[in-house]
Amino acid sequence: MSESPYIRAAALSELEEDTPKRVEIDGVPVSLVRTEGEVFAINDICSHANVSLSEGEVEDCAIECWLHGSSFDLRTGKPSGLPATRPVPVYPVKIEGDDVLVSVTQES
């Protein structure tokens, strides 16, 4: 079984604490979030409305959609409240030196 390809998404030094950064990896919009000493990669499109999550606020290891206020857990992608009911895909992240590597071919 081959390992899924990890692609460099950003430099770790580019990521500000609790400030989402939108990147595109193989055509997939991804929001990178550095919080609580970790880096998370979550699909950047809210499952409730077609808007960018990276424009929202980060708090308590969750990202909030700026449009209607649904929050998504950065570890699982699950929404914590309405109006969103469907989870958002999250992707595995590896840090190698200053490189943030993400695999969008495999949801975690």
Side-chain angles (χ1 to χ4, degrees):
M1 195 157 130
S2 67
E3 195 172 315
S4 61
Y6 279 82
I7 296 169
R8 184 183 184 280
L12 188 59
S13 57
E14 291 174 23
L15 301 180
E16 293 180 43
E17 187 78 10
D18 296 334
T19 303
K21 177 177 177 69
R22 181 186 166 102
V23 296
E24 201 166 287
I25 304 168
D26 279 355
V28 178
V30 174
S31 183
L32 297 175
V33 179
R34 183 178 191 170
T35 188
E36 299 180 8
E38 289 187 69
V39 176
F40 298 93
I42 188 166
N43 192 287
D44 192 46
I45 305 302
C46 177
S47 64
H48 168 255
N50 189 21
V51 297
S52 172
L53 290 176
S54 62
E55 294 175 31
E57 300 288 318
V58 174
E59 191 175 330
D60 297 329
C61 213
I63 190 167
E64 182 180 73
C65 177
W66 61 270
L67 189 59
H68 296 115
S70 286
S71 277
F72 297 89
D73 189 304
L74 291 168
R75 295 172 292 254
T76 65
K78 291 189 174 132
S80 60
L82 295 173
T85 56
R86 293 188 325 269
V88 174
V90 293
Y91 308 106
V93 174
K94 288 199 291 197
I95 308 295
E96 289 182 0
D98 190 46
D99 292 336
V100 177
L101 308 172
V102 178
S103 173
V104 293
T105 57
Q106 173 187 333
E107 293 175 16
S108 57

XYZ file of all heavy atoms in Angstrom:
815
model
N 0.848 -1.170 0.000
C 0.000 0.000 0.000
C 0.898 1.239 0.000
O 1.728 1.414 0.867
C -0.872 -0.018 1.268
C -2.014 0.928 1.203
S -3.254 0.333 2.351
C -3.586 1.796 3.260
N 0.713 2.084 -0.977
C 1.587 3.248 -1.079
C 1.095 4.362 -0.170
O -0.094 4.504 0.095
C 1.648 3.733 -2.525
O 0.390 4.227 -2.905
N 2.034 5.163 0.296
C 1.702 6.282 1.169
C 1.154 7.424 0.316
O 1.599 7.639 -0.801
C 2.966 6.730 1.901
C 2.688 7.619 3.069
C 3.945 7.881 3.878
O 4.692 6.934 4.144
O 4.157 9.044 4.224
N 0.179 8.123 0.840
C -0.394 9.219 0.073
C 0.615 10.356 -0.043
O 1.422 10.571 0.848
C -1.675 9.713 0.762
O -1.383 10.185 2.048
N 0.576 11.052 -1.165
C 1.569 12.107 -1.384
C 1.297 13.345 -0.531
O 0.182 13.852 -0.496
C 1.404 12.430 -2.865
C 0.010 12.049 -3.195
C -0.346 10.919 -2.278
N 2.317 13.787 0.137
C 2.229 15.037 0.889
C 2.818 16.134 0.027
O 3.868 15.961 -0.575
C 3.003 14.933 2.201
C 2.220 14.230 3.279
C 2.164 12.846 3.334
C 1.531 14.954 4.255
C 1.437 12.202 4.332
C 0.806 14.316 5.246
C 0.765 12.948 5.284
O 0.044 12.310 6.253
N 2.130 17.265 -0.036
C 2.545 18.394 -0.857
C 2.806 19.579 0.054
O 2.043 19.836 0.993
C 1.445 18.725 -1.890
C 1.277 17.536 -2.843
C 1.772 19.999 -2.647
C 0.076 17.613 -3.737
N 3.889 20.311 -0.243
C 4.209 21.493 0.563
C 3.112 22.534 0.360
O 2.824 22.960 -0.753
C 5.565 22.064 0.155
C 5.995 23.233 1.022
C 7.315 23.832 0.541
N 7.765 24.884 1.437
C 7.307 26.136 1.423
N 6.379 26.505 0.548
N 7.789 27.031 2.275
N 2.500 22.943 1.463
C 1.394 23.892 1.397
C 1.830 25.298 1.780
O 1.281 26.278 1.287
C 0.262 23.432 2.315
N 2.811 25.390 2.686
C 3.255 26.701 3.172
C 4.495 26.498 4.024
O 4.866 25.364 4.336
C 2.158 27.360 4.002
N 5.100 27.610 4.392
C 6.182 27.572 5.375
C 5.562 27.747 6.748
O 4.633 28.541 6.920
C 7.186 28.689 5.103
N 6.062 26.999 7.706
C 5.556 27.107 9.072
C 5.666 28.554 9.564
O 4.768 29.065 10.226
C 6.346 26.154 9.984
C 5.843 26.003 11.405
C 4.409 25.497 11.434
C 6.751 25.060 12.179
N 6.739 29.221 9.189
C 6.958 30.605 9.631
C 5.934 31.582 9.039
O 5.782 32.698 9.528
C 8.374 31.051 9.280
O 8.604 30.921 7.898
N 5.213 31.173 7.965
C 4.180 32.025 7.356
C 2.874 31.993 8.147
O 2.009 32.843 7.948
C 3.839 31.546 5.940
C 4.899 31.736 4.906
C 4.489 31.083 3.579
O 3.284 30.883 3.328
O 5.394 30.763 2.810
N 2.708 30.990 8.991
C 1.433 30.801 9.678
C 1.428 31.519 11.025
O 2.237 31.222 11.896
C 1.156 29.305 9.895
C 1.100 28.446 8.636
C 0.828 27.002 9.000
C 0.062 28.958 7.660
N 0.517 32.446 11.160
C 0.369 33.160 12.424
C -0.603 32.386 13.314
O -1.588 31.821 12.827
C -0.178 34.567 12.176
C 0.779 35.471 11.442
C 0.165 36.848 11.223
O -0.455 37.388 12.149
O 0.308 37.354 10.096
N -0.334 32.386 14.598
C -1.190 31.695 15.566
C -2.644 32.158 15.433
O -2.928 33.355 15.404
C -0.668 31.965 16.989
C -1.354 31.172 18.060
C -0.894 29.720 18.161
O 0.108 29.339 17.511
O -1.527 28.968 18.903
N -3.553 31.192 15.328
C -5.000 31.444 15.266
C -5.446 32.314 14.092
O -6.510 32.927 14.141
C -5.500 32.064 16.582
C -5.336 31.118 17.767
O -5.322 29.895 17.559
O -5.212 31.614 18.900
N -4.622 32.371 13.038
C -5.000 33.117 11.834
C -5.004 32.162 10.638
O -3.956 31.716 10.196
C -3.996 34.264 11.567
O -3.961 35.108 12.723
C -4.413 35.079 10.364
N -6.188 31.807 10.138
C -6.260 30.865 9.019
C -5.570 31.407 7.767
O -5.597 32.606 7.510
C -7.761 30.698 8.770
C -8.432 31.250 9.976
C -7.503 32.259 10.563
N -4.962 30.502 7.009
C -4.324 30.861 5.735
C -4.908 29.964 4.654
O -4.836 28.742 4.749
C -2.814 30.671 5.831
C -2.085 30.968 4.511
C -0.589 30.824 4.680
C 0.178 31.025 3.397
N 0.149 32.394 2.912
N -5.493 30.567 3.637
C -6.073 29.798 2.536
C -4.975 29.450 1.531
O -4.211 30.319 1.104
C -7.169 30.607 1.844
C -7.820 29.828 0.702
C -8.790 30.706 -0.066
N -9.149 30.099 -1.326
C -10.298 29.464 -1.559
N -11.207 29.383 -0.618
N -10.543 28.930 -2.733
N -4.913 28.177 1.165
C -4.001 27.716 0.127
C -4.785 26.785 -0.793
O -5.872 26.325 -0.441
C -2.767 26.969 0.713
C -1.909 27.904 1.557
C -3.176 25.756 1.515
N -4.222 26.533 -1.967
C -4.833 25.562 -2.868
C -3.832 24.456 -3.106
O -2.684 24.721 -3.443
C -5.253 26.229 -4.168
C -6.298 25.428 -4.889
C -6.984 26.210 -5.993
O -7.791 27.103 -5.676
O -6.684 25.906 -7.151
N -4.255 23.219 -2.888
C -3.385 22.061 -3.066
C -4.056 21.124 -4.062
O -5.138 20.602 -3.779
C -3.156 21.332 -1.718
C -2.588 22.298 -0.677
C -2.234 20.138 -1.912
C -2.600 21.764 0.727
N -3.435 20.935 -5.213
C -4.021 20.105 -6.275
C -5.468 20.484 -6.572
O -6.334 19.629 -6.740
C -3.939 18.619 -5.902
C -2.569 18.024 -6.183
O -1.716 18.735 -6.755
O -2.340 16.860 -5.823
N -5.750 21.775 -6.595
C -7.093 22.248 -6.915
C -8.061 22.212 -5.741
O -9.225 22.563 -5.900
N -7.613 21.772 -4.577
C -8.479 21.694 -3.394
C -8.229 22.915 -2.505
O -7.098 23.153 -2.094
C -8.203 20.397 -2.593
C -9.074 20.342 -1.336
C -8.413 19.164 -3.451
N -9.285 23.700 -2.206
C -9.103 24.838 -1.304
C -8.957 24.337 0.134
O -9.792 23.587 0.624
C -10.382 25.650 -1.484
C -11.403 24.672 -1.960
C -10.659 23.585 -2.694
N -7.875 24.746 0.783
C -7.569 24.273 2.131
C -7.275 25.479 3.016
O -6.639 26.435 2.593
C -6.336 23.329 2.108
C -5.901 22.939 3.512
C -6.631 22.081 1.275
N -7.757 25.415 4.240
C -7.428 26.421 5.233
C -6.432 25.806 6.205
O -6.701 24.778 6.819
C -8.694 26.857 5.981
O -8.378 27.877 6.903
N -5.257 26.427 6.302
C -4.244 25.990 7.267
C -4.394 26.826 8.525
O -4.527 28.043 8.447
C -2.841 26.198 6.700
C -2.464 25.418 5.451
C -1.081 25.841 4.981
C -2.511 23.927 5.716
N -4.360 26.151 9.670
C -4.515 26.865 10.936
C -3.459 26.377 11.916
O -3.339 25.179 12.177
C -5.921 26.639 11.542
C -6.043 27.386 12.871
C -7.016 27.077 10.579
N -2.703 27.343 12.435
C -1.724 27.037 13.483
C -2.345 27.481 14.802
O -2.618 28.667 15.007
C -0.432 27.804 13.209
C 0.680 27.507 14.180
C 1.917 28.291 13.786
N 3.073 27.834 14.533
C 4.318 28.201 14.268
N 4.558 29.031 13.262
N 5.314 27.748 14.986
N -2.587 26.514 15.670
C -3.201 26.816 16.953
C -2.827 25.765 17.974
O -2.608 24.599 17.620
C -4.741 26.941 16.832
O -5.280 27.414 18.062
C -5.398 25.611 16.471
N -2.709 26.153 19.214
C -2.429 25.232 20.318
C -1.202 24.358 20.044
O -1.175 23.170 20.377
C -3.657 24.386 20.628
C -4.845 25.232 21.063
C -6.092 24.435 21.381
O -6.032 23.199 21.428
O -7.132 25.078 21.589
N -0.201 24.933 19.364
C 1.039 24.211 19.118
C 0.994 23.207 17.991
O 1.928 22.441 17.792
N -0.088 23.173 17.233
C -0.215 22.241 16.114
C -0.645 22.998 14.861
O -1.096 24.134 14.935
C -1.266 21.162 16.420
C -0.853 20.161 17.475
C -1.884 19.049 17.591
O -1.994 18.256 16.649
O -2.575 19.007 18.610
N -0.524 22.318 13.716
C -1.032 22.869 12.461
C -2.094 21.917 11.943
O -1.891 20.704 11.885
C 0.097 23.046 11.419
C -0.485 23.535 10.093
C 1.143 24.032 11.931
N -3.221 22.485 11.556
C -4.330 21.696 11.038
C -4.635 22.129 9.610
O -4.422 23.283 9.236
C -5.584 21.901 11.901
C -5.400 21.460 13.323
C -4.985 22.359 14.290
C -5.610 20.149 13.677
C -4.805 21.957 15.603
C -5.433 19.719 14.987
C -5.027 20.625 15.955
N -5.154 21.185 8.814
C -5.581 21.481 7.444
C -7.028 21.019 7.319
O -7.346 19.854 7.562
C -4.701 20.752 6.436
N -7.885 21.954 6.971
C -9.314 21.664 6.841
C -9.783 22.225 5.507
O -9.272 23.246 5.046
C -10.089 22.272 8.037
C -11.553 21.841 8.043
C -9.955 23.785 8.090
C -12.275 22.117 9.370
N -10.737 21.537 4.873
C -11.262 22.045 3.613
C -11.794 23.452 3.848
O -12.445 23.717 4.859
C -12.358 21.118 3.086
C -12.731 21.439 1.660
O -13.380 22.441 1.398
N -12.307 20.604 0.744
N -11.494 24.354 2.931
C -11.787 25.769 3.146
C -13.231 26.151 2.857
O -13.623 27.282 3.088
C -10.838 26.628 2.295
C -10.892 28.091 2.696
O -10.845 28.371 3.909
O -10.998 28.941 1.808
N -14.047 25.230 2.369
C -15.417 25.574 1.999
C -16.395 25.051 3.054
O -16.447 23.861 3.340
C -15.785 25.003 0.608
C -14.777 25.475 -0.446
C -17.210 25.401 0.227
C -14.644 26.971 -0.600
N -17.182 25.947 3.619
C -18.179 25.579 4.621
C -19.175 24.587 4.020
O -19.591 24.741 2.870
C -18.906 26.844 5.094
S -20.229 26.521 6.276
N -19.560 23.576 4.803
C -20.496 22.564 4.298
C -21.936 23.073 4.254
O -22.802 22.447 3.666
C -20.429 21.298 5.166
O -20.852 21.574 6.489
N -22.189 24.212 4.840
C -23.546 24.762 4.856
C -23.744 25.790 3.741
O -24.746 25.781 3.050
C -23.835 25.410 6.215
C -25.088 26.230 6.223
N -25.077 27.617 6.211
C -26.388 25.872 6.209
C -26.318 28.046 6.203
N -27.139 27.030 6.200
N -22.777 26.678 3.588
C -22.850 27.705 2.550
C -21.502 27.727 1.844
O -20.479 27.471 2.449
C -23.149 29.073 3.167
N -21.509 28.012 0.580
C -20.292 27.947 -0.225
C -19.416 29.174 0.022
O -19.267 30.021 -0.848
C -20.681 27.822 -1.700
C -19.494 27.530 -2.576
O -18.469 27.039 -2.112
N -19.621 27.831 -3.849
N -18.873 29.277 1.242
C -18.011 30.407 1.589
C -16.709 29.897 2.193
O -16.627 28.766 2.674
C -18.702 31.389 2.571
C -19.928 32.018 1.935
C -19.060 30.719 3.872
N -15.697 30.753 2.174
C -14.358 30.396 2.635
C -14.270 30.425 4.163
O -14.524 31.453 4.789
C -13.357 31.379 2.035
O -12.085 31.186 2.579
N -13.889 29.298 4.746
C -13.728 29.235 6.199
C -12.513 30.030 6.668
O -12.465 30.481 7.818
C -13.591 27.781 6.661
C -14.855 26.930 6.563
C -14.552 25.497 6.967
C -15.966 27.503 7.418
N -11.530 30.204 5.792
C -10.311 30.890 6.219
C -10.553 32.373 6.526
O -9.696 33.042 7.069
C -9.196 30.736 5.186
O -9.575 31.311 3.967
N -11.737 32.867 6.203
C -12.081 34.244 6.548
C -12.705 34.336 7.937
O -13.051 35.415 8.400
C -13.035 34.822 5.500
C -12.376 34.955 4.135
C -13.346 35.419 3.063
O -14.284 36.173 3.390
O -13.168 35.019 1.907
N -12.857 33.178 8.608
C -13.497 33.148 9.918
C -12.498 33.214 11.061
O -11.292 33.295 10.868
N -13.028 33.156 12.271
C -12.231 33.239 13.494
C -11.860 31.843 13.979
O -12.620 30.891 13.786
C -13.039 33.931 14.595
C -13.476 35.338 14.258
C -12.332 36.328 14.268
O -11.496 36.258 15.175
O -12.265 37.157 13.341
N -10.700 31.743 14.643
C -10.255 30.490 15.238
C -10.302 30.638 16.754
O -9.804 31.612 17.304
C -8.817 30.140 14.794
C -8.300 28.922 15.533
C -8.767 29.924 13.294
N -10.932 29.642 17.408
C -11.004 29.659 18.868
C -11.238 28.239 19.358
O -12.047 27.504 18.784
C -12.148 30.569 19.320
C -12.133 30.856 20.801
C -13.220 31.859 21.197
O -13.574 32.722 20.381
O -13.697 31.746 22.319
N -10.528 27.842 20.407
C -10.707 26.523 21.029
C -10.611 25.384 20.017
O -11.449 24.485 19.992
C -12.054 26.451 21.771
C -12.127 27.448 22.912
O -11.074 27.749 23.510
O -13.234 27.934 23.199
N -9.586 25.436 19.166
C -9.327 24.387 18.164
C -10.510 24.183 17.209
O -10.809 23.082 16.779
C -8.926 23.070 18.832
S -7.760 22.154 17.807
N -11.186 25.301 16.890
C -12.291 25.268 15.935
C -12.206 26.519 15.078
O -11.649 27.536 15.483
C -13.633 25.216 16.659
N -12.771 26.406 13.877
C -12.829 27.560 12.974
C -14.296 27.878 12.737
O -15.115 26.982 12.541
C -12.069 27.276 11.650
C -11.908 28.546 10.826
C -12.730 26.165 10.843
C -10.905 28.427 9.680
N -14.617 29.159 12.820
C -16.005 29.579 12.690
C -16.246 30.157 11.304
O -15.468 30.974 10.819
C -16.321 30.634 13.751
C -17.768 31.096 13.711
C -18.060 32.149 14.769
O -17.616 33.301 14.598
O -18.714 31.795 15.750
N -17.334 29.737 10.690
C -17.738 30.309 9.405
C -18.274 31.719 9.660
O -19.182 31.901 10.467
C -18.809 29.441 8.752
S -19.402 30.137 7.202
N -17.712 32.689 8.966
C -18.068 34.095 9.189
C -19.490 34.422 8.755
O -20.090 35.375 9.224
C -17.078 35.003 8.467
C -17.064 34.800 6.985
C -16.276 33.924 6.289
C -17.882 35.443 6.009
N -16.553 33.987 4.945
C -17.541 34.917 4.744
C -18.868 36.414 6.078
C -18.168 35.318 3.577
C -19.489 36.822 4.892
C -19.122 36.274 3.667
N -20.068 33.619 7.867
C -21.373 33.969 7.308
C -22.532 33.658 8.262
O -23.349 34.505 8.550
C -21.583 33.259 5.968
C -22.802 33.675 5.162
C -22.770 35.163 4.843
C -22.901 32.867 3.877
N -22.587 32.421 8.772
C -23.715 32.028 9.623
C -23.303 31.557 11.009
O -24.142 31.144 11.791
C -24.547 30.941 8.936
C -25.201 31.390 7.686
N -24.877 30.874 6.445
C -26.152 32.331 7.450
C -25.613 31.473 5.521
N -26.392 32.362 6.104
N -21.992 31.534 11.293
C -21.559 31.251 12.648
C -21.363 29.800 13.036
O -21.118 29.514 14.197
N -21.478 28.854 12.101
C -21.185 27.463 12.449
C -19.689 27.317 12.695
O -18.875 27.897 11.984
C -21.580 26.510 11.314
O -22.981 26.372 11.257
N -19.331 26.531 13.710
C -17.922 26.252 13.988
C -17.612 24.811 13.629
O -18.450 23.922 13.821
C -17.611 26.471 15.471
O -17.367 27.821 15.716
N -16.388 24.585 13.131
C -15.955 23.239 12.754
C -14.707 22.886 13.540
O -13.761 23.676 13.600
C -15.667 23.168 11.247
C -16.880 23.433 10.410
C -17.210 24.712 10.016
C -17.716 22.395 10.033
C -18.341 24.970 9.262
C -18.850 22.629 9.274
C -19.167 23.923 8.886
N -14.710 21.687 14.149
C -13.559 21.208 14.902
C -12.395 20.995 13.938
O -12.545 20.305 12.927
C -13.919 19.895 15.602
C -12.854 19.439 16.571
O -11.688 19.285 16.139
O -13.185 19.190 17.738
N -11.248 21.583 14.234
C -10.092 21.466 13.335
C -9.523 20.049 13.314
O -8.844 19.664 12.368
C -9.002 22.458 13.748
C -9.354 23.926 13.505
C -8.354 24.836 14.198
C -9.420 24.227 12.021
N -9.791 19.257 14.343
C -9.284 17.877 14.386
C -10.147 16.916 13.599
O -9.659 15.976 12.982
C -9.193 17.403 15.846
C -8.163 18.176 16.672
C -8.272 17.801 18.143
N -9.526 18.273 18.704
C -9.647 19.307 19.529
N -8.578 19.974 19.900
N -10.825 19.675 19.986
N -11.485 17.143 13.621
C -12.409 16.178 13.020
C -13.220 16.739 11.857
O -13.778 15.983 11.069
C -13.413 15.677 14.076
O -14.228 16.795 14.490
C -12.703 15.061 15.275
N -13.324 18.061 11.773
C -14.155 18.680 10.745
C -15.628 18.720 11.096
O -16.439 19.246 10.347
N -16.004 18.168 12.259
C -17.419 18.111 12.628
C -17.913 19.488 13.067
O -17.229 20.201 13.789
C -17.627 17.112 13.765
C -17.405 15.690 13.319
C -17.816 14.703 14.390
C -17.709 13.297 13.811
N -17.029 12.379 14.655
N -19.138 19.848 12.646
C -19.706 21.119 13.077
C -20.155 21.030 14.534
O -20.616 19.984 14.973
C -20.895 21.324 12.137
C -21.298 19.952 11.723
C -20.035 19.121 11.737
N -20.015 22.130 15.260
C -20.417 22.121 16.656
C -21.775 22.776 16.859
O -22.283 22.813 17.969
C -19.367 22.829 17.519
O -19.233 24.165 17.093
N -22.341 23.306 15.792
C -23.659 23.926 15.941
C -24.266 24.258 14.598
O -23.595 24.242 13.580
N -25.549 24.537 14.633
C -26.284 24.869 13.411
C -25.833 26.232 12.896
O -25.292 27.015 13.657
C -27.786 24.880 13.735
C -28.350 23.520 14.142
C -29.788 23.664 14.605
C -28.248 22.535 12.996
N -26.050 26.549 11.625
C -26.875 25.793 10.688
C -26.159 24.624 10.004
O -26.800 23.808 9.364
C -27.294 26.840 9.667
C -26.187 27.842 9.672
C -25.669 27.866 11.094
N -24.839 24.505 10.117
C -24.147 23.400 9.443
C -24.451 22.077 10.141
O -24.482 22.002 11.366
C -22.646 23.646 9.422
N -24.675 21.039 9.333
C -24.927 19.710 9.899
C -23.936 18.679 9.368
O -23.787 17.619 9.954
C -26.359 19.225 9.569
O -26.541 19.256 8.148
C -27.399 20.119 10.231
N -23.262 18.985 8.265
C -22.310 18.042 7.663
C -20.882 18.445 8.008
O -20.558 19.630 8.000
C -22.463 18.021 6.140
C -23.779 17.446 5.666
C -23.835 17.251 4.140
N -23.117 18.263 3.383
C -23.649 19.381 2.925
N -24.906 19.668 3.166
N -22.937 20.229 2.216
N -20.024 17.459 8.279
C -18.626 17.792 8.552
C -17.903 18.285 7.300
O -18.363 18.062 6.182
C -18.029 16.480 9.052
C -18.934 15.418 8.550
C -20.295 16.026 8.367
N -16.789 18.943 7.527
C -15.910 19.418 6.464
C -14.689 18.497 6.475
O -14.208 18.132 7.544
C -15.493 20.878 6.749
C -14.469 21.367 5.761
C -16.711 21.787 6.736
N -14.165 18.091 5.307
C -12.987 17.214 5.300
C -11.778 17.866 5.981
O -11.554 19.066 5.832
C -12.695 16.998 3.811
C -13.973 17.321 3.112
C -14.658 18.363 3.957
N -11.056 17.059 6.740
C -9.776 17.490 7.305
C -8.694 16.599 6.707
O -8.961 15.468 6.313
C -9.754 17.443 8.856
C -10.705 18.471 9.432
C -10.071 16.069 9.375
N -7.485 17.120 6.623
C -6.404 16.420 5.941
C -5.201 16.260 6.861
O -4.924 17.130 7.683
C -5.991 17.194 4.683
C -7.164 17.518 3.787
C -7.671 18.807 3.720
C -7.779 16.526 3.036
C -8.767 19.110 2.916
C -8.876 16.824 2.229
C -9.358 18.110 2.175
O -10.444 18.398 1.382
N -4.456 15.157 6.693
C -3.263 14.958 7.512
C -2.168 15.968 7.178
O -2.000 16.346 6.023
C -2.821 13.533 7.191
C -3.590 13.096 5.997
C -4.734 14.031 5.798
N -1.464 16.386 8.228
C -0.402 17.387 8.110
C 0.888 16.804 8.672
O 0.869 16.118 9.688
C -0.764 18.665 8.905
C 0.387 19.655 8.907
C -2.021 19.311 8.352
N 1.996 17.074 7.989
C 3.328 16.739 8.504
C 4.158 18.014 8.460
O 4.026 18.804 7.537
C 4.031 15.690 7.625
C 3.471 14.302 7.736
C 4.434 13.221 7.245
C 4.673 13.218 5.763
N 5.274 11.969 5.271
N 5.000 18.186 9.481
C 5.922 19.320 9.503
C 7.324 18.766 9.304
O 7.742 17.862 10.024
C 5.861 20.075 10.854
C 4.417 20.458 11.215
C 6.780 21.294 10.832
C 3.770 21.444 10.293
N 8.018 19.278 8.302
C 9.411 18.888 8.062
C 10.227 20.171 7.983
O 10.132 20.901 7.004
C 9.538 18.069 6.777
C 8.941 16.682 6.892
C 9.108 15.842 5.639
O 9.696 16.331 4.644
O 8.630 14.704 5.645
N 10.984 20.439 9.036
C 11.718 21.702 9.093
C 10.738 22.852 9.152
O 9.892 22.908 10.034
N 10.816 23.761 8.167
C 9.887 24.894 8.103
C 8.763 24.635 7.100
O 7.958 25.511 6.826
C 10.654 26.177 7.729
C 9.784 27.426 7.888
O 9.105 27.555 8.926
O 9.761 28.255 6.960
N 8.710 23.420 6.539
C 7.687 23.105 5.540
C 6.451 22.464 6.179
O 6.581 21.541 6.976
C 8.249 22.144 4.479
C 9.315 22.786 3.614
O 9.314 24.025 3.494
O 10.149 22.044 3.066
N 5.300 22.973 5.804
C 4.032 22.365 6.206
C 3.565 21.531 5.020
O 3.316 22.064 3.933
C 2.974 23.434 6.552
C 1.650 22.788 6.894
C 3.465 24.310 7.695
N 3.479 20.220 5.213
C 3.094 19.293 4.150
C 1.698 18.765 4.427
O 1.382 18.380 5.555
C 4.080 18.133 4.063
C 5.564 18.530 3.950
C 6.458 17.304 4.059
C 5.819 19.262 2.657
N 0.858 18.734 3.387
C -0.526 18.294 3.529
C -0.827 17.254 2.459
O -0.387 17.380 1.325
C -1.500 19.491 3.389
C -2.951 19.032 3.482
C -1.206 20.556 4.436
N -1.594 16.241 2.833
C -2.061 15.256 1.864
C -3.553 15.430 1.662
O -4.345 15.167 2.571
C -1.769 13.830 2.368
O -2.378 12.902 1.485
N -3.954 15.914 0.472
C -5.378 16.092 0.203
C -6.013 14.858 -0.424
O -7.215 14.813 -0.622
C -5.661 17.333 -0.691
C -5.322 18.614 0.043
C -4.945 17.240 -2.009
N -5.188 13.831 -0.708
C -5.750 12.626 -1.291
C -6.285 11.687 -0.225
O -6.937 10.707 -0.517
C -4.692 11.864 -2.122
O -3.581 11.565 -1.263
C -4.230 12.683 -3.296
N -6.014 12.020 1.019
C -6.439 11.141 2.115
C -7.013 11.997 3.224
O -6.339 12.822 3.811
C -5.203 10.373 2.622
C -5.440 9.544 3.852
C -4.115 8.980 4.357
O -3.184 8.788 3.599
N -4.052 8.723 5.633
N -8.314 11.801 3.485
C -8.946 12.537 4.579
C -8.647 11.793 5.863
O -8.611 10.566 5.885
C -10.442 12.632 4.366
C -10.809 13.484 3.162
C -12.290 13.477 2.865
O -13.079 13.081 3.735
O -12.660 13.858 1.749
N -8.400 12.537 6.937
C -8.111 11.861 8.215
C -9.334 11.908 9.124
O -10.299 12.546 8.841
C -6.911 12.495 8.895
O -7.114 13.870 9.109
